[in-house]
């Protein structure tokens, strides 16, 4: 091995470590935000929970607070689902540039707003039709904003060759196609909101369930299991 | 060294780093949630603490707030205990797949609900028998849900060979057996809740103490100390 | 390869890993704080949001809460912007010493105060001139404090040779110059606060936009893309 | 190179990575808790801050809220200081066992309680002598609890050889001695609390300043700068 080779290898090592740190730090800030968002609704249970409402009987108070429990479970399902997709996508990102970081921050801006819109939605499930439609529109808007920047992130990472060189381009294209499908499904699910808000919620949860069984989920499996 | 070897080694390195990142990111999101859950009750102390209740004398106010301190210490003991078990388990996980990620998220769903149920429990220690039993049932339910997905995670990780290849299969089986014992002990402890809620709490803390001295705790020790 | 060489290499490896952990842990604590700060305003939306104000009609209540949404977006833009700059700077830091850690903690002290000052600012946009000026001064003060310790961190890291040896000294100097420019631009933007607070806010957001297109942003790009 | 050597090296690599992950995960959970604790008081500013107190004039309201600002800065100084010490200590820990993890969790139990006790202290600076002494005792108790488990962690890590093998035993002993000195200094500072609470606070901050210039701070410097 010549000195030039050693120099080259050392340089590569340095560059590689630096890049790995770059991508892993994006995951760190994202995971911090995901962790806060996932627990926020459980913390809310503490504050608005029936334990503090001294006036009522405990069983009644606990029963009446069901929209808060629903908001917690919905938020956890949706944000957990987004985290899984985020995790699957970022496993293939080995380098980052300024634009990808900005797209990721804008994605997180919408993710952090999900508890607010999920809370609005669950609070107004028993309200009039106007309130139901308005809160559903805010809710779909938040999810579509998140999806937009998810699609932009993947598109940019592919275009600027920031992905792992081992990743099959056909797989990358398939992921892009599936990501583009997601907002369409959301729109279909929420077109039903004027018909029946509960039905549209059930449809949405069915999509999440479908995603967990098929969808980008088979991406890491095929790569890990060889 | 031939070119094919170098290629193979490089590929392995790439795959290995990718997998390590996958597993470490699961730890990152879990630790973020554990950190929020561990500090939530201390933050609650600030809000419901006596410092803000201007009407009473400080010593009286501090004394009367004892259920809040108790809820903090109980939550910290339980969640700290779960974190230790989570840490011990995930040290042996070197690869992740979609199902394991979903099991881990469902585990975290129940972990994030622990402050709420611990708060309910400590608030109702002085209430009537109905309230004590109801809050104890919610509490045991939360812990059993968490235990269920803990057992499922370990079972899946063993079945799909996601564990470190160095891990002795007999050790893995022993861990599985001990994990299955845990919910049984919880049920025994909380069967006493109708007899005496304080006694069942003491029994639970005794189990935690036992776990720290023996239990899965000797797993990393035997592996680290060679 | 002689035994002394192997020893030397092992020692280097040990030292390198230790240092890498040192720098990465600074990023971990910083990212934890950034994550909390980025989500705090969204959590506030939950608490002061119109969903809880049962008295009013929902559309009116949502419209009237616009300063809260504005505070969320402003805080996210500013703190996201600081995170990007922090990320860009710390990619080049490979070693840490006590002084750099203290400078970074003082930077974080000001970052954590940004939600408070952004909230004050957005709350008083409709108030009298005295309130507008006072809140703008608090706001600029928070940002200048953050900028001061940002500049000190970079200056110290360069002086004590804590940066990556591959980093071109001319690039390091260019970054220092650009970092020093930032507080000046803030001061210009907020000199307009007595003329028109909305105008000064627009100017500030224009600076952030400019930073994303040019500014230290081209630093990682030039280094990554070679 | 023989096959046995390669096997051995691979095994070592595996074990080493596993251990590094073990120690780094302790840092992750600790940093998550430190991040929440460091930002909690700034979040409190938002909730009890004068922006929400619509009744008063803004300048008066901001001036009257000074104990909240003080609580924020004190908490940040103390917890930042503990984080620095924690960072310095854990840089030398390369392996973890169950007992060290438990000591670290108990340390964090007291760290998470610091905002509560700092808030109590700053709220009662203007109260009568009884309140000042009581809150000071709670405050010192929290810090002494944290110090106890800090000392126990270091003592255990040294005894069980969990530290980096390169670490000079004389240095390790010197750190242990200095760590033991810390609670003594706290006790001296707070012995003055019955004389003058402000004086004892100033003394405490002087100790923190002293620590930053000398103290365990020169430990990483001497190791990094060679």
């Amino acid at each position: 091995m010549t000195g030039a080779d050693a120099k080259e290898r050392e340089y590569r090592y340095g560059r590689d470590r630096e890049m790995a740190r770059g991508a892993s730090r994006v995951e760190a800030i994202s995971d911090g935000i995901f962790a806060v968002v996932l627990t926020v609704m459980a913390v809310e249970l503490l504050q608005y929970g029936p334990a503090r409402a001294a006036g009522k009987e405990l069983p009644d108070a606990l029963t009446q607070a069901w929209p808060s429990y629903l908001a917690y479970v919905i938020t956890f399902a949706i944000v957990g689902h987004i985290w899984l997709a985020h995790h699957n996508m970022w496993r293939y990102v080995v380098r980052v540039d300024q634009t990808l970081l900005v797209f990721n921050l804008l994605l997180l801006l919408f993710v952090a707003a999900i508890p607010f819109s999920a809370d609005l939605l669950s609070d107004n499930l028993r309200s009039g039709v106007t309130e139901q439609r308005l809160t559903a529109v805010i809710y779909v808007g938040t999810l579509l904003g998140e999806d937009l920047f998810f699609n932009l992130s993947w598109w940019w990472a592919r275009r600027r060759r920031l992905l792992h060189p081992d990743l099959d381009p056909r797989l990358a294209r398939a992921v892009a196609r599936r990501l583009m499908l997601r907002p369409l499904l959301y729109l279909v699910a929420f077109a039903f909101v004027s018909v029946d808000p509960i039905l549209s919620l059930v449809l949405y949860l069915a999509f999440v369930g479908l995603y967990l069984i098929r969808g980008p989920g088979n991406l890491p499996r095929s790569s890990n299991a060889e």
Side-chain angles (χ1 to χ4, degrees), chain A:
Chain A
M1 194 194 287
T2 68
D5 270 353
K7 185 75 193 264
E8 169 61 20
R9 190 147 56 99
E10 201 178 300
Y11 175 68
R12 277 184 181 229
Y13 169 73
R15 229 189 43 190
D16 194 69
R17 192 167 65 88
E18 196 185 318
M19 279 164 196
R21 264 175 73 196
S24 78
R25 200 176 164 189
V26 177
E27 294 181 345
I29 188 84
S30 307
D31 278 355
I33 290 176
F34 276 115
V36 175
V37 170
L38 284 169
T39 39
V40 144
M41 300 313 282
V43 175
E44 286 300 295
L45 287 182
L46 277 173
Q47 294 184 358
Y48 299 99
R52 306 297 176 190
K56 289 184 212 156
E57 289 293 306
L58 187 67
D60 289 358
L62 281 172
T63 316
Q64 269 198 311
W66 69 266
S68 299
Y69 312 143
L70 189 66
Y72 173 51
V73 174
I74 294 176
T75 307
F76 211 98
I78 292 164
V79 179
H81 170 212
I82 297 170
W83 179 81
L84 279 172
H86 196 264
H87 172 88
N88 282 339
M89 178 192 147
W90 279 87
R91 295 180 70 220
Y92 295 102
V93 178
V94 284
R95 297 192 305 162
V96 289
D97 67 2
Q98 185 87 349
T99 312
L100 189 61
L101 292 176
V102 172
F103 284 160
N104 192 55
L105 280 175
L106 288 168
L107 164 79
L108 295 172
L109 173 79
F110 284 98
V111 167
I114 288 175
F116 169 66
S117 59
D119 195 43
L120 264 183
L121 190 72
S122 69
D123 252 28
N124 287 285
L125 281 179
R126 291 175 293 188
S127 307
V129 177
T130 324
E131 278 80 6
Q132 285 182 357
R133 281 192 199 163
L134 181 64
T135 52
V137 163
I138 293 171
Y139 191 76
V140 191
T142 312
L143 288 180
L144 286 181
E146 170 262 313
D147 262 348
L148 172 68
F149 289 107
F150 217 122
N151 276 291
L152 283 174
S153 300
W154 187 250
W155 166 75
W156 187 260
R158 279 175 71 205
R159 210 188 133 198
R160 288 285 162 133
R161 301 175 184 281
L162 307 173
L163 300 174
H164 201 284
D166 283 5
L167 184 66
D168 189 340
R170 280 168 304 174
L171 199 55
R173 223 176 306 125
V175 172
R177 238 175 297 134
R178 250 178 273 152
L179 278 175
M180 261 184 278
L181 208 66
R182 233 152 51 115
L184 289 179
L185 293 177
Y186 284 167
L187 282 176
V188 170
F190 281 94
F192 286 90
V193 94
S194 56
V195 186
D196 189 342
I198 305 285
L199 176 72
S200 75
L201 204 65
V202 168
L203 268 175
Y204 174 76
L205 292 177
F207 287 144
V208 171
L210 207 75
Y211 167 90
L212 294 182
I213 298 165
R214 288 198 45 81
N218 45 22
L219 205 122
R221 211 177 289 150
S222 67
S223 135
N224 270 351
E226 282 167 75

